[in-house]
Amino acid sequence: MFQPVDGQVSFPRLEEEVLRFWKEQGIYQQSLDRRDGAPPFVFYEGPPTANGMPHPGHCLTRAIKDVFPRYKTMRGYRCERKAGWDTHGLPVEVEVCKELGIHSKEEIEAYGVEPFIQKCQKSVWRYMQEWERLTERLGFWVNLDEAYVTYHQSYVESVWWSLKQLFDRGLLYQGHKIVWWWAQGGTALSAGEVGQGYRQVADPSVYVKFPLLDDDGNETDTSLLVWTTTPWTLPSNQFAAVHPDIEYAKVEDEGETLLLAKDLIEAIATKTKKTLKVVDTFLGAKLVGRRYKPPFNCYHARNRTHEWQVVGAKFVTTESGSGVVHQAPAFGEVDYEVLVDQRQATGQDLPLINCVGPDGKFTDEAPEFVRGRWVKDCDKDINRNLKERGLLFHQEQYLHDYPFCWRAEEDPLIQYPRESWFIRTTQFKDQMLANNEAINWLPGHIKEGRFGKFLESNVDWALSRERYWGTPLPIWQCEATGQQEAIGGYDELLAKPGVAGLDVWQAAKAADPTLPDDLCVHKPYIDAVTYDSPHKPGARMRRIPEVIDCWYDSGAMPFAQWGYRGEPLGKPDDGSTKSSPPRQGEGATRATAKSSSANPSALGGGENDAAARFASQFPADFISEALDQTRGWFYSQLAISTMLWGEAAEANTHPAGPKVPALPHPFRNCIVLGLMLGEDGQKMSKSKRNYREPREIFDKYGADALRWYLFANQPPWTSIRYSEQAIKDSIPEFLLRLWNCYSFFVIYANIDGFDPAVETGAEAGATETASNKNPPPPQGEGLGEGATRVPATDPSANPAPPGAGEATPLTAAQFAAAKSYRPVAERDELDRWILAELNRTVAAVTERMDAYDNFGACAAITEFVDGLSNWWVRRSRERFWAKEKRATEKLDAYWTLYECLIETSKLIAPFTPFLAETFWRNLASVFGARAPQSVHLCDYPHAEVDLAAAELSERMALVRLIASLGLRARNEASLKVRQPLAKVEVVLASTEHQAWLEEHRAVIEGELNVKAVEFSDEPDKYVEHEVLPNFKLLGKKLGKLMPKVKQALDQQSGAELLANLRDNGRINLSVEGQAVELLPEEVEVRIKAKPGWAAANDRGVVVVLSTELTPVLVREGLARDLVRAIQDRRKEIGCDFTDRIAIGLVTDSEILRKTVAEHGTYVANETLANEVSLEPLPGAEALAIQIGDATAQLTIRAVPISAAPIPSVKP
RNA sequence: GGGUGUAUAGCUCAGUUGGUUAGAGCGCAGCCCUGAUAAGGCUGAGGUCCCAAGUUCGAGUCUUGGUACACCCA
């Protein structure tokens, strides 16, 4: 007996039950355990930050991250899913600042770095519960308990180790970086923050004269006309840029000679109301190298020959300005590039000219009249000064977008150079490109497109951040000599001679024992640690103050998640091979709820574990994040991995360390998700309320509805607009349709007592020695290097015999033990068809999923469920209603449907894991402990290749087409389906399947409610033929003649052409005097119903109805109308499916009385009536009904079971 | 300013190596079916496949140039 199915299904409620079941039974862990020793399928979790609320976009990411690991697990792989959290970075600091009501770095320092850091550490978990709840509720199976956390000590140390590799190989260096600088707050802003603060402002736009110098350094009477919108940068001028390929002109104006881009003369002349007379034109290249006198002389010295000259630059345009651009490399990234280029070109270490301090005020190097003043306030004075000296040619207002600090709206940002640490990634450009080449990107255009282009324009990675809450850059510097070294771990630091400063941390810990030990490797504690300099006696080594870009943290996760630090790969179980002293803080109780990522219990402790786990989980087979991670996590991972283990890297790992496999690494397949937009097509935003909280979606529609919407509605990489309606729609479109099939089965199986366990002689509880360990069925593709390979065995090919004590995934082979289970070949065509469809679907789904195409897989499943629900169940209902419980056809139907549902629940398990589990738990429960307790502990269905199936599929599609056409014809002729018709005639353009169709006409007869289906032997009576060219074949053969041939075919009658084809085996045409011969395969014959018949046609099929109604047919129709009316009434009075009734029908209509007399038994059978009387039933409420043209009074009463079971008719 | 993508029915989206009747779901209108049905079937209305040029016998599909939108970078 199956658990009865509730008529009113609530998916959210069922899902909550399933969640409880998973948790209580540890199903996720079991699903891993049963793949012990199986080849790994490696998944990396891109760490989200938990200090923001999750929204539906995150559901997409997490759903995609779930479906493939689930699928691969069912396919026989072991897929560990270690969760991770990204915890460092500016957003965390900002959150804390908000909480404290402070802004600037000064204020943070005043508040105290130590308490600030402690607050950051706590703040990281602010929305943790929401994230965990979302993760769990969505059904994302991931190991949250052992999540890696980027601020944990083991993680930080692993990052340090990697940085030390880079440092020791000379790949870390210090340089300048031009940043958007908030001078008042003393900090650089990230791109995201800058983007938030753009406002339209009017700034001065000035045209300044730079007099050219002659070879002796004397001023000439010709000046460059230079344009800038930031006059305050003029004192720091270093170059003037022109485009070498643009045409420039020498113009005269009131005795002055100016140089500017030719295309801009007119615009400037109009603006200034001057007449500029062109005296010469030439390419910009001619100007390159000319020296000029800068507008201020604060740096100008005669012996400097490399500054204050014209340089060529491709970024110069003639869209605005003068075509000659002022260059102050300190205050513009592009300008800075010019300086770098000049340094390279001259081989000189040209200084960076900068007379502005980090506070945004002019320094003493600046002209006296601006010293000590905020630069933006000086624009006017500078202009006035230039004017006084006759250097200002023109001045105007310029409207443009300019960034302001998003925290202090009145503060404009300035571009400013900062000392910064860089990683020499440019040196690895080719290797990164080679690595990229080997990655399977989905969609494919990412490889050559966004990601490839990004790699090609690679610049060195600006690694350092002048902030507080981040992984400290592990570089210590000699206070005397400035010499530096990198430290690869806390223990390494502690082992340094004369180490001191540990007391700061110890004091903090003593004061607050709940402080997580992980903080000891963070600021300010780590900054306090110093040691003896090896470079100068008595000097100390002190850490440099910077922390690192948190993208480096996340990019290091392939090894840092295991705390890997290049240890040798020892024997997994031998804890004695520890080669280094135990790490500080290892094994200490963590103060946070989350344990440190170093998990001693997992593999027995010891340094080998990290190496072993890294080795077995590198590289990833699969990762996925949204498009915005291209330059984020996708790049940081690829860059770090390439630098550490790229082909040519002198990998500084231990010689006995894990061998890193060939490219690509660290990931092989990557689905790049589109961004999810809000309901209004805008970015999702809390304030706009253009989306719903995930929690509400789960409560209202359920996680499966959301998941199915995400998987089945579009390829994952298209940007999708959040649509609540579409989520809602996935319920009736898919979940409910499938649910109805399931519910149908359960209702009738319970009525008839069909129990597959009893049938196979394996009742529930017969054996209790079940173990869920199954040998894995690897297919051998995509295995990680160094993975333990196990012999390829497929459990479904070798099922354990029923009753053998081993739990078997329920498969056809197992069902075959039942006496009532007939070989598929002996069953009805309909059953063979749906099982063939099932098989075909399994093949399609596995093929698609192996290609990481969830969308295609879902399409195949949808089609199957449609066939099952709207064709198989529909056409099989009569078999379920048969009175004989053990009828062969009925048992066939049960077995067929049961098998379909069991396999479907396995098939959908990765996609809609809750629904699948609900089905499974009820359908498989009759086997008790002999079946896996969860569908997620099953192997994925395995497709059998069957050539006959394709043909059957094609034929059944034809049957469905004929039925559909018949219904269309009925509709047009206003002949409702309940009215039986004598016959339909079917005309087929191709007789290929006709014989088969004739054998299986019963399905059509049933569906169309006709007495006979005939395949017309005189098609000309009903149809006309049309002969069309096969363009694909003929296009090549005929070329330009093609349209003429089509015309010729159009003009001739189809019948003639067909006769031609029949008699000669070909069609002969004459086109433009040329003889053209068309072979049968080169034409397509289409048929169309002739007018005047109740007929419909499509795709080579015409169905013609016989519309003649005899009194016999009419009465039969009335009987069906009567049944319908009675069934409705049964429902109304609340009869159960199996309740028997008595019927009284009172009517004056002769024809209706005759109908009851003739068809009373039929009516009684259909409606489970013991009697159909023409007298009113006493005590039953009468209902007036209309049957055809007749009216009647219907009375119905439920009768007790004990009443005579044999239906009788009393006229 | 540069790069990458997207543009197909009222809405959300498919559309294979170029092949001549461009599809699905939802929504709308009508009819039908129904003791698994919150379903389903049939029909109808609804299309400048963003625009223009080109290649081709043939273009939603390929090429070029535009336009609009999104994202990334500047």
Side-chain angles (χ1 to χ4, degrees):
Chain A
M1 185 74 176
F2 298 97
Q3 195 70 37
V5 171
D6 211 339
Q8 290 280 311
V9 54
S10 156
F11 291 113
R13 198 176 48 76
L14 288 173
E15 290 174 4
E16 296 283 358
E17 264 170 46
V18 169
L19 282 173
R20 255 198 307 281
F21 166 73
W22 285 348
K23 203 177 250 178
E24 280 164 12
Q25 301 297 316
I27 301 297
Y28 168 51
Q29 191 54 47
Q30 283 193 47
S31 79
L32 285 174
D33 291 346
R34 75 184 285 270
R35 298 303 186 199
D36 263 350
F41 176 77
V42 180
F43 163 76
Y44 288 165
E45 160 74 329
T49 59
N51 75 331
M53 278 288 276
H55 62 63
H58 298 116
C59 294
L60 170 63
T61 326
R62 292 179 107 54
I64 290 284
K65 285 178 182 182
D66 183 62
V67 69
F68 290 101
R70 278 186 190 266
Y71 169 72
K72 289 290 182 178
T73 301
M74 291 181 78
R75 289 270 280 164
Y77 296 91
R78 182 180 159 87
C79 181
E80 287 183 43
R81 281 151 268 183
K82 189 177 177 72
W85 301 105
D86 187 13
T87 55
H88 282 145
L90 197 58
V92 182
E93 293 191 21
V94 168
E95 278 284 307
V96 172
C97 282
K98 262 189 214 161
E99 190 186 315
L100 296 172
I102 59 177
H103 294 313
S104 66
K105 280 174 75 179
E106 270 174 13
E107 286 172 297
I108 293 173
E109 304 264 356
Y111 175 78
V113 174
E114 183 172 0
F116 184 75
I117 287 311
Q118 292 176 8
K119 276 198 175 297
C120 286
Q121 185 270 328
K122 289 198 186 87
S123 152
V124 159
W125 305 108
R126 181 159 302 166
Y127 297 104
M128 190 68 185
Q129 282 195 327
E130 271 80 4
W131 275 92
E132 291 198 339
R133 171 72 189 148
L134 168 85
T135 302
E136 189 199 2
R137 186 59 187 82
L138 185 66
F140 178 28
W141 271 357
V142 64
N143 188 345
L144 291 167
D145 295 334
E146 290 171 30
Y148 66 88
V149 177
T150 58
Y151 77 75
H152 279 174
Q153 181 178 346
S154 67
Y155 198 98
V156 168
E157 288 187 291
S158 194
V159 170
W160 282 2
W161 164 78
S162 68
L163 289 169
K164 184 181 164 72
Q165 305 305 307
L166 301 181
F167 182 88
D168 290 350
R169 285 159 60 197
L171 298 171
L172 286 188
Y173 69 93
Q174 280 175 289
H176 278 105
K177 180 177 165 64
I178 310 297
V179 296
W180 278 110
W181 182 251
W182 176 36
Q184 289 79 356
T187 187
L189 267 63
S190 68
E193 293 175 298
V194 174
Q196 281 174 44
Y198 273 94
R199 283 214 303 270
Q200 198 172 61
V201 290
D203 269 331
S205 158
V206 295
Y207 296 80
V208 184
K209 289 180 278 191
F210 287 10
L212 285 177
L213 303 180
D214 63 20
D215 293 343
D216 300 326
N218 298 317
E219 222 171 293
T220 66
D221 61 353
T222 304
S223 297
L224 297 164
L225 187 62
V226 180
W227 179 65
T228 181
T229 55
T230 48
W232 62 268
T233 63
L234 285 169
S236 305
N237 171 271
Q238 215 159 348
F239 304 100
V242 299
H243 196 298
D245 306 330
I246 287 179
E247 209 173 350
Y248 284 79
K250 184 186 268 191
V251 299
E252 275 180 5
D253 166 51
E254 295 167 9
E256 281 184 310
T257 310
L258 300 170
L259 296 170
L260 72 162
K262 192 183 163 214
D263 289 352
L264 288 161
I265 295 173
E266 202 187 317
I268 289 174
T270 313
K271 261 187 233 178
T272 56
K273 297 185 180 112
K274 287 182 177 177
T275 37
L276 301 175
K277 195 179 148 213
V278 179
V279 294
D280 192 12
T281 62
F282 41 85
L283 286 181
K286 202 182 155 194
L287 289 171
V288 172
R290 290 295 301 270
R291 291 168 59 208
Y292 63 86
K293 185 182 171 202
F296 293 93
N297 63 359
C298 36
Y299 292 96
H300 195 202
R302 270 179 177 259
N303 56 352
R304 297 262 289 266
T305 50
H306 295 298
E307 276 98 8
W308 307 294
Q309 58 167 286
V310 179
V311 296
K314 304 264 181 190
F315 58 78
V316 176
T317 68
T318 54
E319 301 229 327
S320 56
S322 63
V324 188
V325 183
H326 151 64
Q327 297 289 295
F331 308 113
E333 215 168 327
V334 180
D335 305 39
Y336 188 77
E337 297 273 320
V338 167
L339 176 64
V340 172
D341 289 347
Q342 285 302 113
R343 279 177 182 160
Q344 222 156 32
T346 60
Q348 306 270 319
D349 187 22
L350 303 177
L352 178 65
I353 291 180
N354 176 14
C355 60
V356 177
D359 57 358
K361 294 172 181 168
F362 280 108
T363 63
D364 289 348
E365 291 180 348
E368 207 172 332
F369 70 99
V370 294
R371 279 181 202 164
R373 294 170 60 195
W374 164 234
V375 293
K376 282 263 176 186
D377 288 343
C378 296
D379 280 344
K380 271 186 187 159
D381 286 345
I382 287 172
N383 291 344
R384 192 174 301 131
N385 178 283
L386 291 169
K387 199 170 182 181
E388 283 164 6
R389 292 191 285 135
L391 294 174
L392 188 67
F393 177 76
H394 178 66
Q395 174 182 2
E396 63 188 5
Q397 292 279 298
Y398 179 74
L399 269 184
H400 65 155
D401 288 322
Y402 195 85
F404 286 72
C405 181
W406 60 280
R407 285 172 289 187
E409 288 183 6
E410 292 315 305
D411 296 348
L413 302 176
I414 58 173
Q415 297 226 304
Y416 194 76
R418 295 299 290 174
E419 276 273 304
S420 193
W421 285 82
F422 290 85
I423 308 178
R424 227 176 276 285
T425 51
T426 44
Q427 195 173 311
F428 293 86
K429 187 171 122 180
D430 292 342
Q431 282 185 56
M432 288 195 285
L433 283 167
N435 204 349
N436 175 43
E437 191 55 41
I439 295 168
N440 178 32
W441 290 99
L442 300 119
H445 61 72
I446 298 286
K447 179 186 290 189
E448 301 298 331
R450 189 172 282 217
F451 198 70
K453 289 277 189 319
F454 176 60
L455 289 181
E456 274 163 24
S457 61
N458 187 263
V459 293
D460 283 347
W461 185 344
L463 179 68
S464 58
R465 296 287 181 272
E466 297 176 276
R467 299 298 312 185
Y468 307 95
W469 178 239
T471 299
L473 190 54
I475 292 171
W476 270 256
Q477 180 168 320
C478 172
E479 60 188 2
T481 66
Q483 278 171 291
Q484 298 164 332
E485 69 177 336
I487 299 291
Y490 200 58
D491 48 4
E492 193 182 320
L493 181 63
L494 298 189
K496 287 288 178 186
V499 67
L502 293 164
D503 50 310
V504 177
W505 163 247
Q506 281 155 2
K509 182 76 178 173
D512 179 4
T514 65
L515 277 188
D517 286 339
D518 301 297
L519 287 184
C520 73
V521 292
H522 283 83
K523 278 169 97 65
Y525 311 111
I526 197 71
D527 294 344
V529 183
T530 62
Y531 58 88
D532 291 340
S533 169
H535 307 293
K536 190 171 180 189
R540 301 290 292 168
M541 296 293 282
R542 297 187 189 283
R543 199 185 78 80
I544 56 157
E546 287 94 340
V547 298
I548 65 166
D549 179 6
C550 59
W551 284 116
Y552 191 96
D553 286 350
S554 60
M557 69 66 67
F559 52 92
Q561 66 173 335
W562 309 115
Y564 175 66
R565 290 201 270 146
E567 298 90 342
L569 192 58
K571 289 176 196 165
D573 291 322
D574 187 358
S576 65
T577 56
K578 283 185 184 181
S579 56
S580 47
R583 288 182 230 174
Q584 195 73 12
E586 186 73 53
T589 312
R590 307 290 169 182
T592 72
K594 304 293 127 194
S595 64
S596 170
S597 57
N599 179 16
S601 66
L603 274 176
E607 299 287 342
N608 291 328
D609 297 346
R613 304 204 73 168
F614 168 67
S616 71
Q617 296 285 305
F618 185 91
D621 289 300
F622 167 66
I623 64 168
S624 178
E625 292 293 337
L627 187 65
D628 55 0
Q629 295 297 333
T630 317
R631 286 146 196 267
W633 193 52
F634 298 151
Y635 173 68
S636 64
Q637 276 192 97
L638 182 97
I640 294 171
S641 197
T642 308
M643 289 188 290
L644 290 178
W645 297 293
E647 296 165 303
E650 292 151 35
N652 214 348
T653 52
H654 195 283
K659 235 185 142 180
V660 170
L663 298 178
H665 58 73
F667 53 89
R668 291 174 169 152
N669 300 286
C670 179
I671 297 183
V672 184
L673 301 170
L675 294 170
M676 197 187 246
L677 303 172
E679 199 114 37
D680 52 0
Q682 305 285 310
K683 246 183 177 174
M684 283 197 185
S685 112
K686 236 185 257 176
S687 56
K688 282 187 198 151
R689 297 200 178 166
N690 53 1
Y691 66 92
R692 207 171 269 281
E693 297 281 327
R695 195 194 307 203
E696 286 180 60
I697 301 171
F698 295 139
D699 290 348
K700 234 170 149 175
Y701 311 111
D704 278 341
L706 177 61
R707 289 174 66 115
W708 188 259
Y709 158 71
L710 294 171
F711 295 145
N713 264 276
Q714 62 279 309
W717 44 81
T718 54
S719 69
I720 54 172
R721 188 181 289 201
Y722 170 81
S723 160
E724 183 159 347
Q725 187 59 43
I727 297 169
K728 201 173 168 179
D729 288 344
S730 65
I731 296 175
E733 277 170 21
F734 180 72
L735 302 180
L736 200 57
R737 202 186 283 185
L738 186 53
W739 178 268
N740 287 333
C741 298
Y742 159 76
S743 153
F744 178 90
F745 171 83
V746 171
I747 288 169
Y748 284 95
N750 281 346
I751 288 173
D752 285 329
F754 174 79
D755 184 329
V758 175
E759 299 287 333
T760 54
E763 297 92 314
T767 342
E768 292 295 345
T769 54
S771 130
N772 279 323
K773 290 209 173 180
N774 287 305
Q779 306 300 311
E781 86 279 17
L783 300 184
E785 215 76 13
T788 327
R789 286 177 192 266
V790 295
T793 48
D794 182 350
S796 60
N798 272 315
E806 183 82 354
T808 48
L810 306 180
T811 58
Q814 187 184 357
F815 303 149
K819 272 198 195 106
S820 57
Y821 184 96
R822 291 206 299 166
V824 175
E826 291 171 20
R827 289 187 221 170
D828 191 275
E829 206 73 29
L830 205 57
D831 296 346
R832 278 158 50 194
W833 170 74
I834 194 66
L835 290 170
E837 289 297 305
L838 174 66
N839 202 41
R840 216 162 60 94
T841 306
V842 168
V845 171
T846 48
E847 192 263 326
R848 288 292 81 214
M849 285 300 278
D850 286 344
Y852 295 93
D853 175 11
N854 51 281
F855 178 65
C858 287
I861 294 175
T862 303
E863 199 190 325
F864 171 73
V865 170
D866 175 69
L868 182 65
S869 174
N870 291 327
W871 192 247
W872 189 87
V873 171
R874 189 181 163 83
R875 291 317 317 148
S876 299
R877 277 191 293 202
E878 283 176 21
R879 285 194 284 168
F880 289 96
W881 294 336
K883 204 173 284 157
E884 175 47 59
K885 287 183 192 242
R886 304 293 297 171
T888 312
E889 295 75 25
K890 186 176 215 170
L891 288 166
D892 280 352
Y894 275 121
W895 276 117
T896 303
L897 183 52
Y898 186 69
E899 190 178 333
C900 283
L901 290 170
I902 282 285
E903 293 302 301
T904 302
S905 54
K906 294 176 192 167
L907 207 54
I908 63 171
F911 303 92
T912 51
F914 299 97
L915 186 67
E917 193 74 306
T918 303
F919 288 170
W920 182 266
R921 288 182 67 200
N922 196 11
L923 295 174
S925 64
V926 291
F927 285 89
R930 298 203 7 76
Q933 65 180 144
S934 161
V935 70
H936 303 288
L937 301 176
C938 293
D939 291 329
Y940 211 63
H942 196 268
E944 317 282 333
V945 181
D946 183 356
L947 294 176
E951 194 177 40
L952 181 55
S953 184
E954 196 182 330
R955 286 170 168 172
M956 194 60 85
L958 199 51
V959 172
R960 292 181 74 177
L961 176 63
I962 292 169
S964 162
L965 291 174
L967 290 173
R968 192 199 299 183
R970 266 185 174 275
N971 193 46
E972 276 161 18
S974 299
L975 288 164
K976 61 183 183 179
V977 179
R978 277 200 297 269
Q979 175 59 59
L981 298 176
K983 68 172 181 183
V984 297
E985 291 198 63
V986 177
V987 184
L988 299 167
S990 152
T991 52
E992 192 189 347
H993 300 304
Q994 182 165 330
W996 183 89
L997 286 170
E998 285 179 27
E999 281 173 46
H1000 300 88
R1001 51 173 54 136
V1003 182
I1004 301 171
E1005 288 167 0
E1007 184 64 15
L1008 290 180
N1009 192 19
V1010 295
K1011 298 293 172 196
V1013 174
E1014 285 179 12
F1015 293 85
S1016 178
D1017 46 10
E1018 39 175 356
D1020 294 344
K1021 183 172 158 195
Y1022 301 116
V1023 301
E1024 47 200 35
H1025 293 267
E1026 194 184 2
V1027 179
L1028 289 159
N1030 180 331
F1031 288 98
K1032 209 162 189 170
L1033 290 177
L1034 287 176
K1036 280 181 193 140
K1037 176 170 152 186
L1038 299 174
K1040 284 188 200 283
L1041 230 44
M1042 192 75 238
K1044 299 280 190 309
V1045 170
K1046 178 176 166 19
Q1047 219 174 1
L1049 287 174
D1050 281 348
Q1051 275 160 6
Q1052 283 196 48
S1053 90
E1056 270 175 48
L1057 290 168
L1058 211 58
N1060 197 339
L1061 190 62
R1062 203 166 37 227
D1063 298 343
N1064 309 323
R1066 63 203 58 197
I1067 293 172
N1068 294 301
L1069 294 172
S1070 173
V1071 179
E1072 296 200 322
Q1074 260 182 282
V1076 175
E1077 197 176 74
L1078 305 182
L1079 300 172
E1081 63 269 23
E1082 289 170 342
V1083 294
E1084 188 188 345
V1085 179
R1086 288 190 187 165
I1087 53 177
K1088 208 164 75 182
K1090 282 184 175 169
W1093 299 97
N1097 62 273
D1098 192 10
R1099 281 173 282 167
V1101 182
V1102 172
V1103 175
V1104 186
L1105 294 184
S1106 160
T1107 54
E1108 190 193 355
L1109 292 180
T1110 62
V1112 174
L1113 288 172
V1114 170
R1115 285 197 297 275
E1116 223 181 298
L1118 290 176
R1120 284 193 59 167
D1121 281 344
L1122 191 54
V1123 167
R1124 180 89 277 277
I1126 295 165
Q1127 299 286 39
D1128 278 348
R1129 190 64 185 148
R1130 270 187 69 116
K1131 266 191 204 168
E1132 272 170 33
I1133 63 173
C1135 283
D1136 219 339
F1137 291 104
T1138 47
D1139 285 347
R1140 302 208 66 92
I1141 56 168
I1143 299 169
L1145 185 79
V1146 182
T1147 180
D1148 294 335
S1149 160
E1150 250 332 291
I1151 188 168
L1152 210 49
R1153 296 178 76 90
K1154 200 171 173 192
T1155 298
V1156 171
E1158 272 175 15
H1159 301 287
T1161 311
Y1162 161 77
V1163 173
N1165 276 334
E1166 291 290 308
T1167 59
L1168 296 186
N1170 288 344
E1171 55 175 333
V1172 180
S1173 155
L1174 285 172
E1175 302 298 325
L1177 291 179
E1181 194 192 337
L1183 178 79
I1185 55 168
Q1186 175 94 29
I1187 302 292
D1189 294 331
T1191 55
Q1193 295 288 318
L1194 177 66
T1195 48
I1196 284 183
R1197 189 181 60 216
V1199 295
I1201 305 287
S1202 56
I1206 303 149
S1208 62
V1209 180
K1210 293 177 187 167

